[in-house]
Amino acid sequence: IFSKDAFLQLYEDTRQMYQEQHDLRSAWGITICGHEVRVCHFGNDMAVSSKPMDVTTPKGRRSFIEILVNWSICEDFQIGRDPTIEYMPDLDCWQIDCPDDTSRGIDTKPRRYYFEDVACRANCLFGRHTRCFLATNIKPTVDSPLVPSVVIKDAWAFSERSTDEDVRDETKMLKKIRATLGEHIKPEDDIIYPKIVVGGRVSFVLDRTRIEDNSDTMYLGIEFADKATLRFRVHRRIVMSQIGQRLHTLESVDEFITVVCDVMRCHNAIFKYCQILHRDISDNNILVIKQDGIARGLLIDFDCAIDMSIERTEPPRPEMTGTLPFMSINNLSESNVKRTVLDDYESMLYLVCWSATLGIGSSQHHREGKDLEKLPIAEWRKLPIGAIVRAKRDHFGTENSLNTKIAAYFSSAKGSNGANGDPDKNMLTRFVTVLRRMLFDNRGDGVGPECRGTRKIEVPRVQSSWSVTEDAILSLLENRGALSSACDKPVVINPFEKRVDKCNVIARDLLALITTYWKFAMKRQSNPKPASQEQVETAADDAKDDKDKDKDDAVQEDD
């Protein structure tokens, strides 16, 4: 028990070291329990411990002294330090070298930047250890203080060993986005997209040779049983020209709607012109940029993205990517169903619900994360994964379920008299209701009933024709009844799989909705007045096709 407590304390101390020491790549630690000493090494994916050294024996004392001597004479990178980041005490700032892969190869001379402020710290024990620094390429002096002009992202991402085969190289994706959208997006489109300056794989000089900083380098000379099973990571650093604020700094619901709609409009353009699917729409991957006093949204962090235009010799394996509360049902299920833009729109729906529950802007009551524990939405981040899947299927299975289990708990405006006297809450409720309708109950052209819902359903197969009738599907969707005894061998229909074939139609309708709300919120940012219920409903109805309106409420019953 004493040894376990020592390890837990070491884990917490190491996590704090990652958070405060910006040049820490990996960490070493020692536990001393009685006469037993253990040495631990912390990497991105696991911690490994040595066998206990009994310092009451000559062998144990010798082993321990050898380790201390080796630590004192080894290279900085071997004790976990990053040779490409250095603190400058005379200027009270850090200097950092950023790779420039323009000419390809790690022999390219890196560019040097300087930073004081840290926008994002590596506050987790394991993972990518993402850090973001507000920096400049102009060296500060005592008389000329540092003024940030770029943001530098530093992270350890899963990668392929070969840069040519790395379909998840964020640097290449961002360069493709900047070049392609720079050609296709016109000023009148008013779409904000990420703009990379330089970036690539971090490297440093060892014995006059520049070597790449990756998981092989991190574990150089360290042997342990599971080493061969670790996924390959590479240390990547990217310089971006846009500096923004976190999502929680927004001051109103109009700003929030503008920002999330900006992000999905950007998402649509990136997929349309670059065939890059983001796959991690979350609160941490959105920046707020002020333009002439108007809050705008910027989509960032393409670590989980994938370039769909790259041909693959074999289909991608099912995997979960993203941030837990915002991951789509299909993503959480690790199914073989192809991931599409609809998964990212679904993540956006969860993000809006999550933010609306916590509270948006200075005019609303705010909840802390711990305040969510008694609400149904807390189930979105409670393991096991299967429980999250069941909760989301239930919460979004019908509009009634969404309204009673999620939207009913949206934060209210300060001083409001219930839902009817809270236009912002009404707008957010209407927004998520129509989003859910278009995602899960879409009535677009050619989108049949087999595409609706959040659960697989068993549909009776008519024996005479061995076909599935539309009436049978509609009956089950509306009544959730038992299979008719007159039918045999039911067909299992997965609506997520069926929606893949109709993805373009559904995504088109979603983009129309997003664009309508974006225009509405942008206008209200310029002329802020309380939105009437009529304005809220008009903003949603403008994005819908009148001929389908009467059908939208066909499926309203709970299971």
Side-chain angles (χ1 to χ4, degrees):
I1 296 176
F2 182 51
S3 178
K4 179 180 178 181
D5 291 341
F7 278 117
L8 291 176
Q9 183 62 53
L10 182 60
Y11 289 172
E12 177 59 25
D13 291 345
T14 304
R15 187 190 66 80
Q16 292 182 12
M17 287 170 60
Y18 278 126
Q19 181 171 305
E20 300 300 331
Q21 299 180 25
H22 312 312
D23 60 342
L24 193 65
R25 300 162 56 252
S26 61
W28 291 91
I30 296 176
T31 63
I32 302 175
C33 302
H35 53 80
E36 287 187 349
V37 177
R38 287 180 173 86
V39 173
C40 301
H41 180 267
F42 294 85
N44 293 96
D45 298 294
M46 65 185 306
V48 294
S49 171
S50 69
K51 294 181 179 179
M53 293 170 280
D54 187 346
V55 293
T56 63
T57 66
K59 181 180 179 181
R61 288 193 295 272
R62 177 172 180 171
S63 297
F64 185 42
I65 292 172
E66 284 179 349
I67 289 174
L68 297 178
V69 171
N70 286 332
W71 277 344
S72 67
I73 63 175
C74 70
E75 300 286 345
D76 282 350
F77 82 92
Q78 291 177 301
I79 58 173
R81 294 296 172 187
D82 186 341
T84 64
I85 301 180
E86 182 181 352
Y87 181 66
M88 305 171 66
D90 54 329
L91 297 175
D92 193 23
C93 71
W94 298 75
Q95 70 176 24
I96 180 171
D97 292 337
C98 296
D100 182 358
D101 284 357
T102 304
S103 304
R104 296 180 60 83
I106 61 175
D107 292 329
T108 305
K109 185 178 179 179
R111 298 193 191 183
R112 179 155 292 178
Y113 291 83
Y114 305 88
F115 71 89
E116 293 175 349
D117 298 327
V118 182
C120 175
R121 298 174 182 270
N123 59 357
C124 294
L125 188 60
F126 302 113
R128 292 180 289 172
H129 290 160
T130 302
R131 299 176 172 99
C132 294
F133 310 118
L134 304 181
T136 177
N137 61 345
I138 301 174
K139 185 176 181 179
T141 65
V142 176
D143 299 323
S144 178
L146 190 152
V147 179
S149 58
V150 297
V151 60
I152 300 174
K153 176 186 174 183
D154 181 278
W156 287 77
F158 288 128
S159 306
E160 300 295 333
R161 293 181 181 275
S162 169
T163 55
D164 294 331
E165 298 175 1
D166 193 356
V167 297
R168 297 184 182 177
D169 188 332
E170 185 179 15
T171 306
K172 289 193 291 188
M173 289 189 201
L174 288 170
K175 289 179 178 179
K176 180 178 181 180
I177 289 170
R178 178 158 193 172
T180 306
L181 295 194
E183 178 181 349
H184 289 91
I185 300 300
K186 304 298 186 290
E188 56 268 26
D189 295 327
D190 201 7
I191 292 177
I192 299 175
Y193 57 91
K195 296 177 181 178
I196 187 174
V197 180
V198 293
R201 299 187 173 196
V202 176
S203 62
F204 56 87
V205 176
L206 178 65
D207 295 332
R208 300 182 181 179
T209 302
R210 183 166 289 277
I211 63 172
E212 181 180 281
D213 196 14
N214 53 42
S215 50
D216 290 343
T217 312
M218 179 180 291
Y219 293 109
L220 186 66
I222 305 173
E223 300 298 330
F224 51 94
D226 298 325
K227 184 176 180 178
T229 65
L230 291 177
R231 288 182 63 182
F232 182 75
R233 288 183 184 266
V234 68
H235 189 187
R236 188 176 289 126
R237 199 168 282 158
I238 297 171
V239 182
M240 305 292 293
S241 62
Q242 297 128 309
I243 297 178
Q245 301 294 322
R246 301 292 295 273
L247 200 60
H248 65 78
T249 62
L250 291 171
E251 298 178 359
S252 70
V253 170
D254 291 318
E255 288 188 349
F256 175 78
I257 290 179
T258 301
V259 166
V260 295
C261 291
D262 259 331
V263 163
M264 295 313 295
R265 291 172 67 245
C266 170
H267 179 281
N268 173 75
I270 290 174
F271 187 77
K272 177 180 179 180
Y273 295 114
C274 306
Q275 285 294 292
I276 292 174
L277 190 61
H278 188 275
R279 306 200 306 170
D280 190 13
I281 304 297
S282 67
D283 54 352
N284 288 327
N285 294 338
I286 296 176
L287 285 183
V288 179
I289 297 176
K290 288 295 182 76
Q291 292 186 344
D292 299 324
I294 302 296
R296 305 297 303 273
L298 174 67
L299 181 62
I300 61 170
D301 194 348
F302 286 74
D303 269 346
C304 295
I306 191 167
D307 191 335
M308 306 292 283
S309 67
I310 298 177
E311 295 186 4
R312 295 169 178 79
T313 56
E314 57 184 29
R317 63 189 181 192
E319 61 176 346
M320 285 194 299
T321 57
T323 306
L324 197 58
F326 314 117
M327 292 165 65
S328 69
I329 295 173
N330 183 39
N331 183 9
L332 287 165
S333 302
E334 291 189 278
S335 70
N336 291 318
V337 176
K338 179 182 177 182
R339 296 278 295 278
T340 69
V341 294
L342 299 185
D343 289 277
D344 284 355
Y345 271 109
E346 189 178 334
S347 294
M348 179 247 193
L349 170 59
Y350 300 145
L351 171 61
V352 175
C353 291
W354 190 271
S355 299
T357 305
L358 285 174
I360 300 168
S362 58
S363 64
Q364 286 195 323
H365 292 288
H366 281 257
R367 294 184 176 99
E368 300 295 333
K370 61 182 180 181
D371 299 329
L372 300 183
E373 293 306 312
K374 296 181 180 180
L375 304 182
I377 201 171
E379 298 175 41
W380 298 2
R381 61 181 181 187
K382 291 182 179 178
L383 298 175
I385 295 298
I388 302 176
V389 173
R390 289 190 294 272
K392 288 187 174 181
R393 289 188 194 277
D394 175 50
H395 296 165
F396 293 88
T398 66
E399 287 186 14
N400 182 55
S401 184
L402 168 62
N403 288 326
T404 58
K405 298 177 181 179
I406 300 299
Y409 299 100
F410 284 178
S411 183
S412 301
K414 297 174 182 177
S416 64
N417 298 315
N420 292 332
D422 193 342
D424 284 344
K425 182 175 180 179
N426 291 344
M427 177 178 288
L428 289 167
T429 300
R430 183 67 173 174
F431 189 31
V432 299
T433 298
V434 183
L435 275 174
R436 191 216 72 88
R437 190 179 295 172
M438 289 190 173
L439 269 170
F440 300 127
D441 290 336
N442 194 283
R443 262 61 166 175
D445 297 335
V447 183
E450 70 277 4
C451 296
R452 299 171 197 159
T454 59
R455 296 179 174 86
K456 295 179 182 179
I457 58 173
E458 289 187 345
V459 181
R461 193 197 303 260
V462 180
Q463 291 183 355
S464 59
S465 62
W466 294 101
S467 62
V468 178
T469 66
E470 182 170 329
D471 288 341
I473 299 174
L474 285 173
S475 176
L476 280 173
L477 284 172
E478 294 175 1
N479 302 317
R480 308 290 180 182
L483 295 178
S484 170
S485 58
C487 301
D488 190 26
K489 294 184 178 180
V491 178
V492 176
I493 292 182
N494 183 352
F496 293 95
E497 182 177 8
K498 296 297 182 181
R499 281 196 285 267
V500 171
D501 296 332
K502 304 298 181 182
C503 175
N504 291 339
V505 175
I506 300 173
R508 178 200 63 196
D509 294 344
L510 285 164
L511 179 62
L513 173 71
I514 292 298
T515 303
T516 300
Y517 267 90
W518 174 76
K519 291 178 179 178
F520 179 75
M522 282 280 288
K523 182 178 180 181
R524 281 178 41 76
Q525 275 201 73
S526 301
N527 184 25
K529 293 181 180 179
S532 66
Q533 181 64 22
E534 181 180 356
Q535 288 176 311
V536 171
E537 293 178 354
T538 300
D541 292 340
D542 284 348
K544 298 192 300 180
D545 192 338
D546 289 337
K547 69 184 179 67
D548 291 325
K549 184 177 179 182
D550 293 336
K551 299 179 183 179
D552 284 334
D553 295 323
V555 183
Q556 293 291 322
E557 300 296 324
D558 264 329
D559 295 346

